[in-house]
């Protein structure tokens, strides 16, 4: 058992630590830079060469088989505001400990490597400061142009290009070919805990539809404008927020998650009715038919809201995906490794997106979950028990060893353009 | 008829002009400073001595009776974001033109002055950038401490003290004793237009209750948190916004206005449920019993929202007033002046607050309305016909003349502390 993992995790969690026991390390902030610097030190001490690519994904590389492609293992160290210590960060450190142990085994002759090995800390998985989320892996895998990502700005107008400029950091890297990818993450739900399972073998993602919605009203005086004359964009937005929740009550229980969590209004004045409100709205389901029904109902509700609030609603579908599968051979490798270690395990779906959701599109990918206590996430109270955390590190080590040995292939499945 | 009024009004409206035909001159912005500089020039050319007090109320003074108290006439030049040209600014220029003509009459021996005369441009009536609204008149009349006002900050953290620092501006003024106050303003409603009346004689304010409400939820993941576990502060706020509107539908039509127009949420991230939302909520009625019923219903609704959204709602009453009367002798003076000029007129109530609402508490006050086309206000499309605007200037001249002659008294009704 990797007993110094917990000590390292505690040390890492001091970067951006909040009084409530969580962390706040939004992408590219001083706190993110601080944890990256700490992690670089850890990797260097463990013998990895530390580099970053053009979008600031951070890598610790070790060459085991000259010229061979790399197995990539990792997650992300950035966080939401007032977030927990585990989301992403647990997976990065678990991957690093796993990789260090695998390198030891190879060097000790206990394991024969077919691939090289790199730990990765993806840039801006969270997307709370810079949109979109999963930025680093989206750029690496080619679904997001580098220039678009670098030009993204936060609410204060700072760009990603500004935020990732770290003079003292290591050299840029031309990312080498990738043979396979593995990631471990907290579940962020209650499924594993409630079923008493230690390991979730992620085989699919929930389907999702994400909208950017603009409600167009008309500015007027909050006091003197008679109610019948009002075209209140905030009232329209409020009706939409309530409608999104009601969809989850109309459809079979548990089969639809809906949220509005971002809102901007203009002019945001105490005595002027809003002329414009912009919100995100997302719908997620483990059942594509339910999601299609929710999308259809949303369209009806929008028409009703337009009438009732006398506003115009502009809706843009920004992301949509169905039930996306991880490669069955990756799930099987993970199952076999968990069984070998005697860990309880079950197939599971992920509701949240992860960097592995991008990586599975370009390379054989293994995605693992450990339990979240009470399903709490994106919250300072987020937690995973020590024993589950350590079980995950042990499994990640076994999975990484099998990937380095070439169990999912030793060819270059993906040659990054970065 | 004061034919150059319309030309002056057009020139004044170029400061902070917006492409949509309105103005944007929030308090203490460069646009506000620009219109103040233009107005200073106008006043100086008309022979007034220009000064400002410690909260940046701007005055044009003329001494007609050495040692006598002053009749104050004016309104405000600051505006909401993307606002109309008339709100406040019309009243300031109408007062200035009226004052210039009254001075001419006194100097020409056509009128015997019992008081001195000053035009005032109140600082920050709108309150969109710095809270509270009616800041300048509240400080002068003593309901808001000067230090509190100077320390108020905008969303970017700039203070009133910073925003009003204008090195080139005239000297500070110890504001002289006040005998009476008069203000003319656009109605911002449809009443005068629909009844075909040129002048509203404001005799009372609507009653109002204004709340600052904080909805406390719990941060969690927008995707993976099951609906039953959510404590979504934005959902709670949306329910309150809808409830506020529904109150106006439950109570007799036209007797309740309700609004939520300001909203801040945290963390405002696309994938994290809001832990905290803060809104304003205001209720206004021309009937105190209706307002009391609305307040009681709101309390019930809040309890329901707390249950349904699993949030805690913290409510603070920030402003509350009943039906406040203007002095009947001021209303009668205005009626008599309107009748003398042959202008149609009717008593009316004001829904919105005005600087005159503060001034009537300390000195005899006359408040006049001219019609707003379609009642549009706090909007670039705000308008008053030229003929109504000029009728208002004529009436303001007549009212100012009577006040300077001492018709509401020539004693110091109020001695400002500024």
């Amino acid at each position: 058992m990797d007993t110094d993992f917990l000590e390292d995790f505690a040390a890492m969690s001091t970067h951006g630590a909040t009084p409530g026991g969580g962390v706040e390390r939004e992408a590219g902030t001083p706190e993110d830079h601080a944890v990256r610097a700490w992690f670089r030190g850890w990797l260097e001490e463990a013998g990895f060469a530390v580099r970053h690519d053009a979008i600031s994904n951070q890598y610790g590389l070790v060459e085991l088989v000259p010229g061979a492609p790399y197995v990539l293992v990792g997650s992300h160290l950035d966080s939401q505001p007032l977030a927990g210590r585990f989301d992403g960060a647990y997976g990065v450190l678990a991957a690093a400990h796993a990789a260090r142990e695998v390198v030891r085994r190879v060097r000790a002759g206990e394991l024969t490597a077919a691939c090289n090995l790199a730990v990765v800390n993806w840039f801006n998985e969270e997307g709370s400061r810079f949109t979109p989320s999963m930025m680093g892996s989206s750029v690496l895998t080619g679904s997001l142009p580098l220039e678009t990502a670098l030009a993204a700005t936060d609410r204060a107008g700072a760009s990603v290009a500004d935020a990732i400029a770290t003079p003292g950091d290591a050299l840029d890297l031309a990312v080498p070919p990738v043979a396979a990818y593995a990631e471990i993450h907290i579940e962020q739900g209650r499924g594993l805990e409630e079923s008493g399972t230690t390991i979730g073998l992620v085989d699919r993602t929930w389907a999702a539809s994400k909208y950017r919605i603009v409600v167009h009203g008309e500015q007027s005086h909050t006091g003197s404008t008679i109610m019948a004359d009002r075209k209140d964009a905030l009232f329209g937005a409020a009706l939409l927020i309530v409608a999104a929740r009601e969809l989850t009550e109309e459809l079979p229980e548990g089969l639809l998650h809906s949220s509005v969590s971002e809102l901007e209004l203009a002019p945001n004045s105490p005595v002027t009715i809003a002329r414009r409100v912009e919100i995100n709205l997302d719908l997620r389901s483990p059942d594509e038919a339910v999601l299609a029904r929710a999308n259809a109902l949303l369209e009806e509700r929008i028409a009703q809201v337009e009438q009732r609030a006398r506003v115009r609603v502009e809706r843009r579908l920004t992301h949509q995906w169905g039930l996306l599968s991880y490669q069955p051979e990756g799930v099987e490798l993970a199952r076999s490794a968990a069984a070998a270690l005697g860990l309880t395990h079950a197939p599971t779906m992920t509701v949240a997106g992860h960097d592995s959701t991008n990586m599975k599109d370009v390379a054989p990918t293994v995605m693992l979950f450990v339990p979240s206590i009470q399903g709490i996430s994106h919250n300072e109270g987020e937690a995973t028990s020590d024993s589950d955390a350590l079980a995950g590190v042990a499994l990640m080590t076994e999975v990484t060893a099998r990937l380095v040995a070439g169990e999912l292939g030793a060819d270059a499945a993906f040659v990054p353009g970065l």
Side-chain angles (χ1 to χ4, degrees), chain A residues 20 76 115 166 174 176 190 194 218 226 232 310 318 351 368:
Chain A
H76 62 94
C115 301
T166 49
R190 290 172 174 276
E194 288 184 351
E218 204 173 275
I226 61 175
D232 184 340
R310 305 175 72 233
T318 54
V351 191
L368 305 166

Side-chain angles (χ1 to χ4, degrees), chain A residues 8 24 51 140 144 165 191 205 237 293 301 307 355 380 412:
Chain A
D8 282 348
E24 179 158 313
R51 299 288 184 271
L140 190 78
L144 178 69
T205 63
R293 178 86 189 116
R301 295 295 176 280
Q307 277 224 307
D355 294 304
E380 292 171 303

Side-chain angles (χ1 to χ4, degrees), chain A residues 298-309:
Chain A
L298 178 66
E299 196 167 335
E300 286 175 23
R301 295 295 176 280
I302 286 177
Q304 291 161 0
V305 167
E306 288 187 317
Q307 277 224 307
R308 181 161 177 212

Side-chain angles (χ1 to χ4, degrees), chain A residues 55 123-124 130-131 135 149-154 158-165:
Chain A
I55 190 60
F123 177 70
N124 188 26
F130 298 110
T131 300
M135 182 177 273
L150 291 173
T153 53
D154 65 11
S159 70
V160 166
D162 298 336
I164 66 179

Side-chain angles (χ1 to χ4, degrees), chain A residues 122-198:
Chain A
W122 298 107
F123 177 70
N124 188 26
E125 194 271 349
E126 293 291 355
S128 54
R129 180 180 176 199
F130 298 110
T131 300
S133 58
M134 300 185 275
M135 182 177 273
S137 57
S138 295
V139 170
L140 190 78
T141 57
S143 65
L144 178 69
L146 174 63
E147 296 66 32
T148 308
L150 291 173
T153 53
D154 65 11
R155 288 194 179 83
S159 70
V160 166
D162 298 336
I164 66 179
T166 49
D169 210 350
L171 292 172
D172 276 4
L173 171 75
V175 185
V178 176
Y181 177 70
E183 178 169 356
I184 190 163
H185 202 278
I186 56 166
E187 184 189 18
Q188 306 178 283
R190 290 172 174 276
L192 295 173
E193 185 181 61
E194 288 184 351
S195 64
T197 307
T198 305

